[in-house]
Amino acid sequence: MELTKREKLIRRIDRHLRVTARQLIMFDTEEETLKFLIDSFQLDLNCDFVCILLNEDGYLIPKVFNGESDSFIENFPIKTRNNSSDLFEYPLAFSDSEVEKMHELSDVIRKEKIQSWFTVPYKGDYGVSGVCLIGFKDLVPLYQEMVLIFTDFGKDIAVAIKLAKQREEQKKIGMEWITESLSVNSPIEKTIGKIIERAGKGTQSKRACVYLYIEKDNSFILQETCFGQPLSLKRIVPQNNKLIDYFPYLAAWGGKALTVSLTMNLKTIGVLHVEEKETNNGIYTADDLQTLKLMAQHMAALIENIRLFESEKEYKQRLHMLLDYQQALVKETIEQDSFVGITNTISELFSSSVLLFDRFMRPIAHSMHPLDNADVQLLIEQATYQVFQGRNQEIWQASMGDTEKKLMIWPINHGGDLLGHLAIHLNQNDMDDFFKLSVNIARNIFYLQFIKQKLVFDTKEQVRDGFINKLLVPNLINEEEIIQYANVFNWNLFLPHRISVLSFNFGNKVESENGIIEFQEKKTMLFNRVREWIAAFDKEILFATKGELFILIVPISIEKDNPREFWTKLFTYIQKWSKTELAKPFYLGIGGKTAAIGDYFVSYQQAVESQNVIINQFKESNFVLYDDLGAYPLFHHLKNSTSTRLFIKKYLSPILNNSDDKNNTLFQTLRAYLNNNGSIKETSEELFIHRSTLQYRMEKIQSLLDIELTSSEQRFNLQLAFKLNDIIDL
């Protein structure tokens, strides 16, 4: 039998109300329940106006409203007694005779120009009562058969609201219990224990426990605090982050166990697990899942807050401790001149072995913790290798035979000036922000100590330069004062020494290209570097400056039995650092031995003369001992003679002043010719020129000097002029 349109409508509404009634019990709050209700009515009935009115304390109050009206809510609250009592007993429609008795509510509906409307009352226990008002702007048919359907639906609404209120009350009680029982000041073990017990009793389970995620191990660890007998599985390392492989009933009720995730900021920090339910044949229900989720939600927040609180508390404690250490370190820099106390304090701060190096990677101080002194050499070798393999880095690291411990090396510098290196042997997992802050403080303290030592050293150097400049003069003015200065530096003037002069060639264009100020800055930097090099080579060498020359006063005792071997070694050492940092050619002239205070000036003069000979004659060696100059010392007493200068001028000035020979080509050609005993072949090969070119130059030289180079007497005079010229700085 074919159903009429009216019957189809009634059946559709009946089916919709039944489905809606079943879904209403799914919500946890009254607000969610009522919101779903009005949305359901509006969607299926195509109504223009839906409102849920609660009967509270003798007044009708709109709880949820959905419609186009902006003024409807303004008419409330309305006294309940001003309306028909049937309003809360039966469904009513605009055509019912009782409607006229509704007074105030009827007047409000008319103001809204609602053409068709009806009410659905709901009434339950605990004073739950109210009205659902549905309206249409147009006239629509309302059938009597729908009264019974809406009456039953009203009862379902009351039950759903009652359940929602009970859940809200349970949550409120749960939150109050958590607030009263637990706080961030509670130890995390106590917090976990109380919530686990609450979860176990709330779900009527015999066993409850928590696994917390430990990020550094990438694993879930069973906490010692459990409710009932603890689980046998103590540690879980999930593959591909699949916890469900270990907890089959993760967020799923209907089984013999139940598990929910502890989540904070979309990040899983653990799981809450219960099993062996004592009721319902051991099967967990949806309510159990809701209870456990509630517990898990608050547990996650509390655990995270406690962790943050403890982390903040620990950070403050560590910061206070660091400030104490900083004060101790500053005190060390004030009271002590060495680095030992600072290094020991920093080793105590980090509970690790600490080594300090100078800029040349020579160890200055160390403190081994927990290693012993037998490991010092290994750490020194590893640190030195890493630094020299990768220069100009902010941090170096070296493995020490295991995966946990690393040797970390930081430069100690300021304004681009490298002073030293700090090495710490530690676990790499300890390198948090606090550790980095501590390292920066340690580097700054070491920097201050380096600067302090440098200031003291510079002061001593100035005093030393002053008294050495008084020593290296032809006639000593105050010999007793010089001896007193020497005693200050623990230097015995009466032991034999040798004076050496060291100078660097900056080139003719350096000063003009860089400016006078920048040029002086570079020279100052060079002087400081050379001081460090010499001190690093041998601390017995007394170092000073005289004008733009470096003066080295070397005890004969450190030469041992082979002076040339010692000076060759020193020259090679300076050459190595010069090429690395400065790339400037240099010359080293070495004077004779001293036997008395008055000999120091003589040795100094010999060193200067030796250097002049190097620059003009022995360029291939760059250093020479005065004792190895052979005949050159014979010219020492002739160098200031007027006859000597006239002799040099006669034989060399014509070719030195030749306007066509700006680069002294003729001068160098004549020197090579004389050194090769007048051999055209050997001279041309040495100068890398053709024989005809050489012959042309020799003819020009003979013409300028007005001599015959075939004469042995003339060649001797020319050789003598060259040697005298090497001694005299014209």
Side-chain angles (χ1 to χ4, degrees), residues 528-545:
N528 292 333
R529 291 287 188 264
V530 174
R531 280 194 180 102
E532 294 175 359
W533 300 342
I534 301 303
F537 182 78
D538 196 313
K539 292 183 178 180
E540 290 191 54
I541 299 176
L542 195 64
F543 179 86
T545 58

Side-chain angles (χ1 to χ4, degrees), residues 381-588:
E381 291 175 359
Q382 286 289 342
T384 304
Y385 175 79
Q386 290 298 324
V387 171
F388 281 112
Q389 285 295 312
R391 298 182 67 85
N392 300 322
Q393 291 183 205
E394 182 59 29
I395 185 171
W396 297 264
Q397 66 178 17
S399 299
M400 299 299 296
D402 55 64
T403 56
E404 294 183 358
K405 289 284 187 178
K406 294 282 187 182
L407 182 65
M408 311 299 295
I409 309 114
W410 293 266
I412 300 171
N413 49 25
H414 184 75
D417 191 15
L418 179 64
L419 302 174
H421 292 88
L422 171 64
I424 305 177
H425 186 234
L426 74 160
N427 191 321
Q428 201 168 9
N429 294 329
D430 296 335
M431 291 185 61
D432 54 9
D433 291 339
F434 179 83
F435 174 83
K436 295 174 182 177
L437 175 62
S438 303
V439 168
N440 287 335
I441 289 177
R443 291 167 68 189
N444 289 334
I445 294 295
F446 277 127
Y447 162 74
L448 292 175
Q449 190 72 344
F450 272 116
I451 294 300
K452 176 186 172 183
Q453 285 196 349
K454 187 176 184 299
L455 291 174
V456 173
F457 179 78
D458 288 345
T459 302
K460 290 181 178 180
E461 287 297 316
Q462 290 176 7
V463 175
R464 182 181 299 172
D465 290 353
F467 100 82
I468 287 180
N469 277 273
K470 291 181 180 181
L471 174 66
L472 302 181
V473 294
N475 300 308
L476 297 178
I477 298 175
N478 191 334
E479 185 174 318
E480 186 64 30
E481 182 182 1
I482 293 173
I483 294 173
Q484 290 178 357
Y485 273 122
N487 290 334
V488 171
F489 294 100
N490 296 319
W491 180 41
N492 190 345
L493 274 170
F494 300 98
L495 292 177
H497 290 78
R498 196 188 299 274
I499 305 293
S500 173
V501 173
L502 174 67
S503 65
F504 284 81
N505 182 7
F506 286 92
N508 296 327
K509 297 182 179 180
V510 174
E511 185 172 348
S512 60
E513 289 178 353
N514 297 284
I516 296 176
I517 296 178
E518 186 175 349
F519 179 64
Q520 291 299 328
E521 289 178 351
K522 288 187 175 181
K523 287 202 297 185
T524 301
M525 181 191 72
L526 171 63
F527 289 168
N528 292 333
R529 291 287 188 264
V530 174
R531 280 194 180 102
E532 294 175 359
W533 300 342
I534 301 303
F537 182 78
D538 196 313
K539 292 183 178 180
E540 290 191 54
I541 299 176
L542 195 64
F543 179 86
T545 58
K546 186 175 177 60
E548 294 188 359
L549 297 177
F550 296 101
I551 308 300
L552 280 61
I553 305 179
V554 179
I556 295 299
S557 59
I558 67 175
E559 290 183 354
K560 297 182 179 179
D561 298 330
N562 196 333
R564 173 162 286 279
E565 181 180 342
F566 169 81
W567 289 100
T568 301
K569 182 179 179 181
L570 175 58
F571 174 84
T572 305
Y573 173 80
I574 298 175
Q575 187 179 47
K576 170 188 173 183
W577 288 109
S578 175
K579 288 182 178 179
T580 302
E581 299 194 12
L582 303 172
K584 304 294 182 187
F586 65 95
Y587 309 101
L588 184 64

Side-chain angles (χ1 to χ4, degrees), residues 131-273:
V131 175
C132 179
L133 177 63
I134 298 99
F136 304 87
K137 289 185 176 181
D138 301 323
L139 289 173
V140 296
L142 299 176
Y143 305 121
Q144 187 65 32
E145 294 90 331
M146 295 172 61
V147 173
L148 182 60
I149 296 174
F150 280 112
T151 300
D152 292 337
F153 182 65
K155 296 177 181 179
D156 293 335
I157 294 175
V159 172
I161 293 176
K162 174 186 174 182
L163 290 174
K165 284 191 172 185
Q166 287 178 344
R167 291 194 186 102
E168 282 187 293
E169 189 65 25
Q170 287 175 356
K171 285 186 178 181
K172 181 179 179 181
I173 294 173
M175 290 183 67
E176 288 176 352
W177 172 83
I178 290 173
T179 303
E180 292 173 0
S181 303
L182 304 172
S183 70
V184 292
N185 291 312
S186 303
I188 194 168
E189 296 80 7
K190 178 182 177 182
T191 299
I192 292 174
K194 284 192 174 184
I195 296 183
I196 288 175
E197 181 182 4
R198 187 79 174 185
K201 291 180 179 180
T203 57
Q204 298 176 315
S205 302
K206 291 183 179 180
R207 303 170 73 179
C209 64
V210 163
Y211 287 85
L212 288 184
Y213 179 68
I214 308 300
E215 188 171 2
K216 67 178 182 179
D217 297 331
N218 189 31
S219 60
F220 289 82
I221 305 299
L222 177 66
Q223 302 304 292
E224 294 182 0
T225 305
C226 296
F227 178 74
Q229 189 69 22
L231 273 65
S232 59
L233 191 59
K234 306 297 182 184
R235 182 171 180 264
I236 297 173
V237 183
Q239 302 296 325
N240 300 322
N241 298 322
K242 290 184 178 180
L243 279 174
I244 199 168
D245 294 340
Y246 301 90
F247 303 105
Y249 293 98
L250 182 65
W253 56 276
K256 295 286 186 179
L258 188 58
T259 310
V260 293
S261 297
L262 303 175
T263 305
M264 196 67 191
N265 297 326
L266 303 179
K267 182 179 179 181
T268 300
I269 64 171
V271 293
L272 174 60
H273 176 81

Side-chain angles (χ1 to χ4, degrees), residues 68 347 547 718:
E68 296 180 0
S347 177
L718 287 169

